[in-house]
Amino acid sequence: MSFSRRDFLSALAAWPCLASLPQQALAEVKIGSGVLTAVSDGHLVLPGSFMFEPMTKDELAPILQEFGLSEDQLKPACNLALYRDGENTVLFDVGSGPDFMPTAGMLTESLYGLGLSPEDITHVVFTHAHPDHIWGLLDEFDDPLFTDATYMMGRDEWDYWWNPETVNTIGEDRAAFAVGARRRMEAIEDTVEFFDDGQEILPGVAAIASNGHTPGHMSFEVRNGSDAAMVVGDAIGNHHVAFARPDWPSGADQNAEQAIAARRRLLDRLSAEQMTLVGFHLPGNGIGRAEVSGDGYRFIGEDL
């Protein structure tokens, strides 16, 4: 059996981390005969202004107090969704990789903790192309990490980040987002598959447009028999303001008005159907459900 330099580096990187990894296999929900598992990529450290700047401080204060949050700094979890149906092993987003934040980029180690390697992934499906969702695409040699996977992205999201003018129009604070996304997309441009709103992109996986956080953001309904769950990406980007006050604009969203409409649609449906959801930045393992609470909602995390 041949043992490549890539194999050696992957094994070397994983070895010291395995003992301290959380038991990711427990963070899962059955979808018929399939399994949807939350996989940690670590967490981010963000200035509170990244999200809270457009909000009225007096109205925001009681929410921050209720959830024990600081106005100055946020540390949102990064929870990817992994769906296995016995035939396909589908990873939604690929995390930050090593180049975004030191507190994130642990996806490969988390996969090893589940007994998986990047080569086991059959499909990578992107919700959107922000750094913490796409920068983990490349390995140490700037090659696609998931060597045997089919890469899939919404057509509108791809077109936005592929446009050479995006780096000039997205704003100075996010110009690096555009450069980083384009660099990684160039690595898969000849093999990526595109999809549109409402399309069943894989057996039991349907794309649902939830644009606003980015111009082409997608969520995904995963259904097997009578069981279903929703992978919401960053369309519902936190467990506090996004649920309690979904109509408030967030500084994290590129188009606040569209993001509010998408968030409302998802929360209305999730709460009405009591459908399990997986949120990329929701606490714990990101798995839970939405429940109506007053004029808004609240996140009920699953104790898995």
Side-chain angles (χ1 to χ4, degrees), residues 14-264:
W15 177 255
C17 304
L18 293 179
S20 60
L21 283 175
Q23 296 299 308
Q24 293 290 341
L26 297 178
E28 64 182 28
V29 59
K30 297 289 187 180
I31 309 292
S33 58
V35 179
L36 190 64
T37 307
V39 185
S40 177
D41 192 50
H43 70 275
L44 303 182
V45 179
L46 301 171
S49 59
F50 181 77
M51 181 180 299
F52 299 141
E53 187 172 12
M55 303 175 189
T56 303
K57 287 191 175 183
D58 289 345
E59 294 179 335
L60 176 63
I63 296 178
L64 296 180
Q65 183 176 7
E66 177 184 354
F67 287 92
L69 299 172
S70 167
E71 183 182 350
D72 300 321
Q73 188 180 82
L74 293 169
K75 296 181 179 181
C78 296
N79 293 299
L80 289 76
L82 177 76
Y83 179 58
R84 291 169 283 182
D85 63 3
E87 180 176 352
N88 295 319
T89 301
V90 185
L91 183 66
F92 295 89
D93 297 325
V94 293
S96 298
D99 299 327
F100 187 50
M101 287 190 182
T103 56
M106 63 178 286
L107 171 61
T108 301
E109 290 81 1
S110 292
L111 288 174
Y112 285 133
L114 291 171
L116 298 172
S117 72
E119 290 77 14
D120 293 316
I121 305 300
T122 63
H123 298 80
V124 168
V125 180
F126 293 103
T127 62
H128 64 297
H130 275 167
D132 50 330
H133 296 256
I134 197 173
W135 280 23
L137 176 67
L138 301 179
D139 65 11
E140 299 90 345
F141 311 109
D142 282 347
D143 295 322
L145 176 62
F146 303 91
T147 54
D148 296 325
T150 297
Y151 292 90
M152 309 179 78
M153 186 182 290
R155 195 181 311 271
D156 290 343
E157 185 73 0
W158 179 278
D159 289 346
Y160 173 74
W161 297 100
W162 194 255
N163 186 340
E165 285 303 308
T166 294
V167 69
N168 301 317
T169 59
I170 195 173
E172 184 178 351
D173 291 346
R174 303 192 187 200
F177 291 13
V179 173
R182 174 73 186 234
R183 174 171 165 246
R184 286 153 180 86
M185 291 160 65
E186 286 173 348
I188 59 172
E189 64 173 307
D190 294 331
T191 58
V192 67
E193 295 184 5
F194 302 116
F195 55 83
D196 299 301
D197 178 32
Q199 184 176 338
E200 186 177 37
I201 64 172
L202 290 166
V205 180
I208 299 175
S210 47
N211 51 303
H213 182 70
T214 61
H217 187 287
M218 286 282 185
S219 299
F220 301 93
E221 179 182 339
V222 180
R223 183 173 291 277
N224 192 319
S226 61
D227 296 332
M230 188 82 72
V231 178
V232 301
D234 284 3
I236 306 175
N238 60 75
H239 66 294
H240 36 86
V241 177
F243 281 81
R245 296 292 185 269
D247 293 333
W248 285 7
S250 170
D253 297 327
Q254 291 184 223
N255 185 311
E257 184 176 343
Q258 290 180 349
I260 288 169
R263 190 157 53 243
R264 267 291 187 187

